[in-house]
Amino acid sequence: MIVEERIHIFKLPMERIIERSYKIEHYTDEQAIMNGELVPISASQLTGKIYDYYSENGLDELTVKDAIVNIVVPTANGKNAKKAAEAYSELAHHGFDLNGRHYVRLCAGSGQLRQNTITFVWNVMHQYITEALYCGISPEELGDNFSVSKWNAYVGLSESGMHFLKSAPHVCVVSDYEEIKPHLPIDYITTEYTSGRRNKRVEKTIAQHYYDEPEMNFDPLNSFDGQGLADPEWMRQVAMELGYLRENGGYVPSEYILRAPWCKGLVVAFDFKAYCREHDITTIKDVYGQSYAVEDIDVLLSTSQFKMWKVYGKHGGWQYHQESMRKYGLRWGVVIANKEHDDDYRTLNYQYLQALDLDDSDIDRLCSHTEDLLTKLCSGHTETVYRTLVGFSGGVDGSIGDDCGEAAEAAKPAASLLQRAIAHNYDLLQDSYIQTLIHREVESKFNGAKIGKLLCRGGYSFIVSDPVAQIQHIIRSHAVDGDHDIAVSGLIPAHEIYSAYWNRIQPAPDKVVLMRSPLIDSSEVTVCGLARTPEMDRWYSHIKSGLILSVHDVNTLALQNCDFDGDRCFSSNDPVLIKGAQRNPVPILYPSAGKQLKGAITFESMIEADIRGLNSAVGSLSNQATCLYALRDKFPKDSPEYAELSRRIKIVSELVGVEIDKIKTGIPPQKPSAWNKEQMPYEQFIGVDGKMMKAPACSPEEQERIRKHNALIPDNKPLFMRYIYDAMNTDLARYDKSFDDVGKYNGGPRLVELLSTPYESLDDDARYMLDKYHRHLPAIDSPCIMNKICKRLECLQKQLKRCKDSRNMLLDFTTPQEFDADVLERMAELIDLLQRQKRFITRTNNTTNTNGSKKIAKDTKERFDVLYDYVRGQIMEFVGGDIQSAYNYLVELVRRTHYAESTVWTVLDELILLVIPSKSYREEATA
């Protein structure tokens, strides 16, 4: 497999540049590492052109870091968001100086804007870079009515990390297929604006329609949006070139995500040449009228994949695009392919679980495997712990991570240091630091399980549209000869999918459930039958991985309005998930978001589009749905409150969809005005005792209406989310302590006793205290699915004890050595620096929290890795590159000072395994 090139660049907070009056001098790599502002990126079209510029101008001593800088705009809302936008606009107009070079705005793709990040480039190469990346066209050609946000997103594709191909595929550009309107119901959500007493009011209505209703005039579905077909032989050649297929093994992927200038999407392995031969098709024409011999084509690229296909039509079509690529030295590349083996087990998440209808017995079954795995890890039995961590026993015991796939005694390349260490030497299970890591792993997995990360049979795969239907459309619309009067019907019936993975499972399931993040409404949980016929097996024989959808239903709407450009979906045959899914769900549809920012592509309009795309609210809106689910379970299922909250969850799905599209449309979602709390009006008066008093200034009926209105608007997050948000967990801990202190002061029962005693067994005073506790609890403590799962895992965790039978084994692997006091002192200074900067990076991680704590953790780890590499390199210099000597010095530091044993492990990382002798479990078992 090709080793991905890792490039590092500066990623600086906008505030720092503004504070320094747009000029920073003498900023070094070492300073950036210490600040956590040197981050890795992958090779891309952009980095390729940077190297070309250096080569053409005799600047080979420079790196990508000298050419581009990523700037992070601080996350903000309300007035602060406006201030941040104004500051960014000024920065974009002004540019900034860094180490003697002036940088100007280059681009901001969709993925970047979700992280409030914009790329700036060294001004001397701006013209060179943009001319090359535009690949023979210019913004002026797009006229005065083009979506500026889409332009920004398409230009941003140049920063997609990819593996370059040595040569371009032979491509024929074909049309999309937009004709099918299934006769199936949808919930259509519309937004209405009315004039209120003070300002405009927003109202949402949900009306059920059929997708093919003539009076609604819904657009036909784009049945193959973002998908192309690739010759299996070409897929094999690419697999060999990129290292997926090797002489001694490997595989030919079923799908690649491809990139080229203005080209983006998924190509699927399908023998379209054989299909054309069976229909006597030898020649097809592309969308520009150019004829191609079918046997000469590698890739059938759809117009939804070729973003500027109309513009290139003015210049001669695809041939001009390819000539421009050659002229500017641009290349094709593969972003990612499907994995060789689909996952057998993955973890669920709370969005998937909260949308299901589960009873307590369902929750028992769903939690059982995760609980069993965690119990084994806490058992203290060495063999059991080893088997669970490394997967010696095979099957689902192969991992405690998010992926539980095939077991192997040799640790996987992506395995944690913990897993690699104990796979390397079985005895390390007795080491005190390894025991600490196991304890942390258990803690992490328990906390993950409390927020819905439960192991489940299933995995993620690319979503594929029926390729037989796609080639039928291509033949009907583009064939020059043969039997091209063909119906576009495909092979898969409505409400069914084809999956080679699930069809291989024995016994074969008759149904699978599909779920895709962000999953908001229960209608987005889709249960499909499994289709399989000899004809399907024949034509889909090259698609070993992937979920092939029918073109005759509305599953793309149900799966968060997905397309086929590389979107993935979770599928499972778990009977609990299938049982918990809504019967006959009705997917959601809504009109496109208002008036987009369209016009001429100018520097000003690009900056305005940047600003509109900042501060993604997908996470906060998704959380609102979670709060509504938790609040809903306070009411009976047949109550009007339950129905209204269910309706609001559907509307949140629309809000999230519009927010996701905001990157390209620039239009934010509009919440209903009725979702704001109403203030109870009060009036003051003098009572009979002469004291000032106040009372509601409205009728009892109006008071009750306001209370009912406000009862449907959540004040807090559900209780289980304390394991996601540290601030919430701190607040709850303080609340519990203060409540417990009051009970202790008054001589009443402790809080733990109140919570663990059945309510009917409590006396009146205790019930009063417990009711008061729940009434003021800063969290929603309803009997919702996720709160039940969380409390269940909390109880299990309390029952399991930590194994403490361990010792520091580092001294076992040292060798005799004379220690230089100066080297020891310099190493100690370096370790102190490492610990300080880790704390600093944790506090000041400048990545915005738009995708939740998972994204923050990933970015923080990347910064730590750069810091560790720097410290490791310095230490190896101190000892002349001798790993054993570095190990000896570090162990001696631990022995002489306050440093923890973990210092040796974190600094050396996997290098430590070159010092520790190998000893496998099999050797121990046969000894």
Side-chain angles (χ1 to χ4, degrees):
M1 190 70 67
I2 283 182
V3 177
E4 184 178 3
E5 179 186 2
R6 301 302 283 177
I7 302 164
H8 290 85
I9 65 171
F10 292 140
K11 186 173 185 178
L12 305 176
M14 183 180 73
E15 310 95 293
R16 169 101 50 81
I17 295 171
I18 295 173
E19 287 169 4
R20 304 285 181 88
S21 301
Y22 305 99
K23 187 173 184 178
I24 298 176
E25 294 289 355
H26 311 299
Y27 194 63
T28 65
D29 289 3
E30 184 176 345
Q31 288 174 315
I33 290 170
M34 295 302 135
N35 292 336
E37 292 171 354
L38 190 71
V39 298
I41 63 171
S42 300
S44 64
Q45 205 79 255
L46 173 59
T47 63
K49 290 314 301 174
I50 290 170
Y51 287 131
D52 287 348
Y53 180 87
Y54 289 161
S55 178
E56 293 171 20
N57 291 275
L59 299 171
D60 293 329
E61 74 280 3
L62 298 182
T63 67
V64 172
K65 173 169 52 61
D66 300 305
I68 57 174
V69 179
N70 277 353
I71 300 302
V72 181
V73 180
T75 305
N77 50 48
K79 292 181 179 179
N80 289 333
K82 185 177 180 181
K83 289 180 181 177
E86 291 171 351
Y88 166 68
S89 179
E90 186 173 349
L91 176 65
H93 284 87
H94 191 278
F96 64 93
D97 293 337
L98 176 65
N99 293 339
R101 297 185 183 90
H102 188 69
Y103 292 85
V104 295
R105 181 202 177 276
L106 176 65
C107 61
S110 299
Q112 286 180 299
L113 276 183
R114 290 190 185 99
Q115 303 304 321
N116 275 28
T117 302
I118 296 94
T119 298
F120 282 64
V121 66
W122 187 15
N123 68 325
V124 300
M125 55 199 312
H126 181 271
Q127 177 62 31
Y128 175 91
I129 293 290
T130 53
E131 181 181 340
L133 296 183
Y134 293 171
C135 192
I137 65 173
S138 66
E140 293 75 22
E141 297 178 60
L142 302 177
D144 297 330
N145 194 35
F146 194 85
S147 171
V148 185
S149 297
K150 286 186 178 181
W151 168 266
N152 282 354
Y154 298 159
V155 174
L157 294 175
S158 64
E159 293 197 76
S160 296
M162 61 184 178
H163 301 300
F164 291 117
L165 301 180
K166 294 177 182 177
S167 59
H170 295 103
V171 171
C172 175
V173 181
V174 296
S175 60
D176 285 319
Y177 181 63
E178 299 176 280
E179 294 186 17
I180 293 179
K181 292 185 177 184
H183 182 67
L184 292 170
I186 52 101
D187 278 335
Y188 192 58
I189 301 178
T190 55
T191 304
E192 299 174 2
Y193 300 96
T194 58
S195 297
R197 187 172 56 183
R198 292 185 177 178
N199 46 37
K200 181 174 64 177
R201 288 187 58 82
V202 178
E203 296 179 1
K204 303 276 185 179
T205 58
I206 304 176
Q208 192 166 114
H209 297 277
Y210 278 85
Y211 200 89
D212 59 348
E213 283 182 25
E215 58 270 21
M216 296 305 297
N217 196 30
F218 294 130
D219 292 333
L221 298 173
N222 188 343
S223 299
F224 315 111
D225 191 6
Q227 177 176 298
L229 303 179
D231 177 24
E233 175 58 26
W234 180 80
M235 298 283 283
R236 188 187 70 82
Q237 293 171 5
V238 171
M240 293 181 65
E241 180 182 330
L242 297 185
Y244 293 109
L245 185 64
R246 305 174 297 278
E247 289 185 5
N248 60 345
Y251 71 112
V252 177
S254 304
E255 301 98 9
Y256 295 127
I257 295 181
L258 282 186
R259 287 286 191 276
W262 309 114
C263 296
K264 165 186 183 287
L266 189 76
V267 292
V268 182
F270 179 76
D271 197 350
F272 59 83
K273 295 179 180 179
Y275 200 94
C276 286
R277 284 194 294 270
E278 291 203 359
H279 291 80
D280 300 320
I281 308 296
T282 63
T283 307
I284 62 175
K285 286 186 177 181
D286 68 7
V287 291
Y288 306 110
Q290 179 72 33
S291 294
Y292 296 79
V294 172
E295 293 297 325
D296 294 338
I297 299 171
D298 295 324
V299 173
L300 292 165
L301 197 75
S302 63
T303 50
S304 56
Q305 296 178 293
F306 186 21
K307 302 302 181 183
M308 295 294 179
W309 72 274
K310 290 182 180 179
V311 179
Y312 279 94
K314 302 174 184 177
H315 297 276
W318 184 252
Q319 281 66 34
Y320 176 71
H321 179 270
Q322 292 300 283
E323 291 168 5
S324 299
M325 282 190 67
R326 289 189 289 271
K327 175 182 176 181
Y328 292 107
L330 302 171
R331 299 163 66 185
W332 285 81
V334 169
V335 176
I336 196 171
N338 64 280
K339 293 192 291 188
E340 182 172 6
H341 301 291
D342 285 341
D343 296 317
D344 294 320
Y345 282 80
R346 288 295 295 265
T347 55
L348 299 167
N349 62 58
Y350 66 85
Q351 288 186 349
Y352 293 177
L353 292 167
Q354 69 192 9
L356 301 173
D357 185 7
L358 304 177
D359 58 30
D360 289 345
S361 64
D362 295 328
I363 293 174
D364 291 345
R365 294 164 63 194
L366 211 51
C367 292
S368 60
H369 180 62
T370 302
E371 291 174 340
D372 180 55
L373 202 59
L374 291 169
T375 302
K376 287 178 180 178
L377 277 178
C378 295
S379 66
H381 188 263
T382 304
E383 180 181 339
T384 301
V385 173
Y386 179 87
R387 289 175 181 272
T388 306
L389 283 171
V390 180
F392 178 79
S393 62
V396 298
D397 287 339
S399 171
I400 60 170
D402 285 352
D403 302 326
C404 282
E406 296 182 1
E409 182 164 13
K412 301 175 184 177
S416 67
L417 178 60
L418 168 63
Q419 291 169 304
R420 295 198 304 272
I422 61 175
H424 178 75
N425 190 313
Y426 174 81
D427 287 342
L428 287 174
L429 280 170
Q430 306 302 324
D431 180 73
S432 54
Y433 177 65
I434 293 297
Q435 284 284 341
T436 299
L437 289 184
I438 293 173
H439 176 68
R440 289 179 188 169
E441 189 82 0
V442 171
E443 285 279 326
S444 172
K445 296 308 171 188
F446 261 113
N447 289 339
K450 293 169 193 172
I451 60 172
K453 293 183 178 181
L454 304 177
L455 281 172
C456 176
R457 185 63 186 266
Y460 286 88
S461 309
F462 284 121
I463 303 171
V464 176
S465 188
D466 189 344
V468 170
Q470 189 167 15
I471 192 59
Q472 288 170 341
H473 156 65
I474 292 168
I475 289 173
R476 191 180 76 170
S477 301
H478 296 274
V480 173
D481 54 2
D483 180 18
H484 57 266
D485 187 15
I486 185 172
V488 181
S489 57
L491 298 180
I492 304 174
H495 311 301
E496 296 186 17
I497 67 165
Y498 181 92
S499 166
Y501 174 84
W502 290 115
N503 284 334
R504 287 195 300 268
I505 299 298
Q506 294 298 326
D510 59 346
K511 292 180 180 179
V512 293
V513 62
L514 309 181
M515 295 184 278
R516 180 171 175 263
S517 297
L519 194 154
I520 307 300
D521 185 58
S522 56
S523 66
E524 297 163 19
V525 181
T526 305
V527 176
C528 294
L530 273 177
R532 188 176 190 183
T533 65
E535 189 177 11
M536 293 178 192
D537 286 344
R538 177 194 175 195
W539 290 113
Y540 307 147
S541 61
H542 297 285
I543 307 176
K544 308 294 186 185
S545 173
L547 305 171
I548 307 177
L549 272 56
S550 171
V551 297
H552 301 293
D553 53 37
V554 288
N555 274 340
T556 53
L557 297 181
L559 296 171
Q560 262 292 329
N561 204 17
C562 70
D563 50 31
F564 305 100
D565 66 353
D567 288 354
R568 300 187 194 209
C569 179
F570 176 79
S571 63
S572 174
N573 67 339
D574 190 294
V576 175
L577 301 185
I578 294 172
K579 172 180 176 287
Q582 192 179 86
R583 301 289 83 115
N584 303 313
V586 178
I588 294 163
L589 182 67
Y590 47 88
S592 58
K595 183 180 179 182
Q596 296 185 20
L597 175 60
K598 289 187 176 183
I601 308 299
T602 65
F603 184 69
E604 295 293 337
S605 64
M606 286 189 283
I607 293 174
E608 185 179 350
D610 288 347
I611 291 170
R612 288 195 183 202
L614 294 173
N615 301 316
S616 172
V618 172
S620 60
L621 288 171
S622 300
N623 282 348
Q624 187 156 10
T626 299
C627 296
L628 292 172
Y629 273 111
L631 188 60
R632 189 180 69 172
D633 281 322
K634 287 188 171 185
F635 302 97
K637 286 188 175 182
D638 58 353
S639 67
E641 291 87 355
Y642 192 96
E644 173 58 22
L645 288 168
S646 299
R647 174 183 170 276
R648 293 186 181 189
I649 292 168
K650 276 189 179 292
I651 291 172
V652 172
S653 182
E654 181 256 353
L655 298 176
V656 169
V658 174
E659 180 65 26
I660 291 172
D661 292 341
K662 187 183 76 170
I663 298 293
K664 293 180 181 177
T665 65
I667 305 297
Q670 298 292 321
K671 286 187 183 180
S673 303
W675 291 13
N676 298 319
K677 286 210 169 191
E678 293 186 15
Q679 295 296 320
M680 185 76 73
Y682 284 93
E683 60 181 359
Q684 291 185 331
F685 59 93
I686 298 175
V688 292
D689 57 358
K691 293 182 178 180
M692 186 67 70
M693 303 182 68
K694 69 175 183 177
C698 56
S699 66
E701 293 78 14
E702 178 65 6
Q703 294 173 41
E704 182 63 16
R705 186 198 66 77
I706 293 174
R707 277 192 286 269
K708 286 185 175 181
H709 171 89
N710 291 342
L712 300 184
I713 301 171
D715 286 319
N716 300 300
K717 296 182 178 73
L719 192 59
F720 81 91
M721 296 188 97
R722 69 184 304 169
Y723 296 102
I724 301 176
Y725 298 101
D726 291 339
M728 177 182 176
N729 192 43
T730 301
D731 289 343
L732 284 167
R734 287 173 179 166
Y735 177 77
D736 286 354
K737 184 179 184 306
S738 61
F739 196 89
D740 213 28
D741 289 344
V742 171
K744 192 191 322 181
Y745 178 79
N746 293 326
R750 303 296 296 270
L751 179 60
V752 65
E753 296 175 31
L754 286 175
L755 294 175
S756 59
T757 305
Y759 188 79
E760 55 275 10
S761 301
L762 297 173
D763 59 30
D764 290 343
D765 289 341
R767 288 185 183 184
Y768 171 79
M769 289 296 293
L770 187 59
D771 291 342
K772 184 177 180 181
Y773 171 82
H774 286 298
R775 188 162 58 251
H776 298 287
L777 185 72
I780 303 174
D781 189 15
S782 67
C784 66
I785 291 170
M786 281 310 309
N787 279 346
K788 287 181 178 180
I789 290 173
C790 179
K791 291 179 180 180
R792 180 189 181 98
L793 269 297
E794 286 175 334
C795 290
L796 177 64
Q797 189 173 15
K798 290 175 183 177
Q799 298 169 17
L800 300 177
K801 304 296 182 182
R802 178 182 178 182
C803 176
K804 297 182 179 179
D805 184 17
S806 62
R807 66 182 181 87
N808 182 350
M809 298 179 64
L810 291 179
L811 289 171
D812 297 2
F813 310 114
T814 57
T815 57
Q817 178 161 343
E818 294 284 337
F819 294 106
D820 185 319
D822 181 56
V823 172
L824 281 170
E825 184 179 349
R826 288 156 64 196
M827 279 194 183
E829 291 173 353
L830 202 57
I831 300 304
D832 288 339
L833 178 67
L834 170 67
Q835 294 175 347
R836 285 198 308 271
Q837 296 311 123
K838 280 181 63 178
R839 292 192 293 269
F840 176 79
I841 290 170
T842 301
R843 289 196 309 269
T844 62
N845 185 350
N846 60 19
T847 299
T848 57
N849 191 12
T850 55
N851 286 342
S853 56
K854 186 175 181 181
K855 177 64 180 171
I856 288 289
K858 177 178 179 293
D859 287 340
T860 301
K861 181 184 180 301
E862 287 179 347
R863 288 160 168 77
F864 281 177
D865 287 345
V866 174
L867 180 61
Y868 289 144
D869 287 344
Y870 171 79
V871 171
R872 192 176 303 121
Q874 292 288 303
I875 286 178
M876 294 306 293
E877 280 188 23
F878 293 163
V879 296
D882 186 334
I883 297 172
Q884 181 68 60
S885 181
Y887 178 85
N888 291 342
Y889 266 99
L890 288 168
V891 173
E892 183 67 11
L893 271 179
V894 169
R895 191 183 70 80
R896 293 188 185 187
T897 66
H898 62 280
Y899 298 126
E901 178 189 353
S902 60
T903 304
V904 185
W905 289 90
T906 54
V907 169
L908 291 180
D909 195 58
E910 61 185 7
L911 291 180
I912 202 172
L913 302 184
L914 300 176
V915 174
I916 298 172
S918 173
K919 183 178 182 181
S920 72
Y921 171 79
R922 292 184 193 278
E923 292 173 4
E924 177 73 14
T926 56

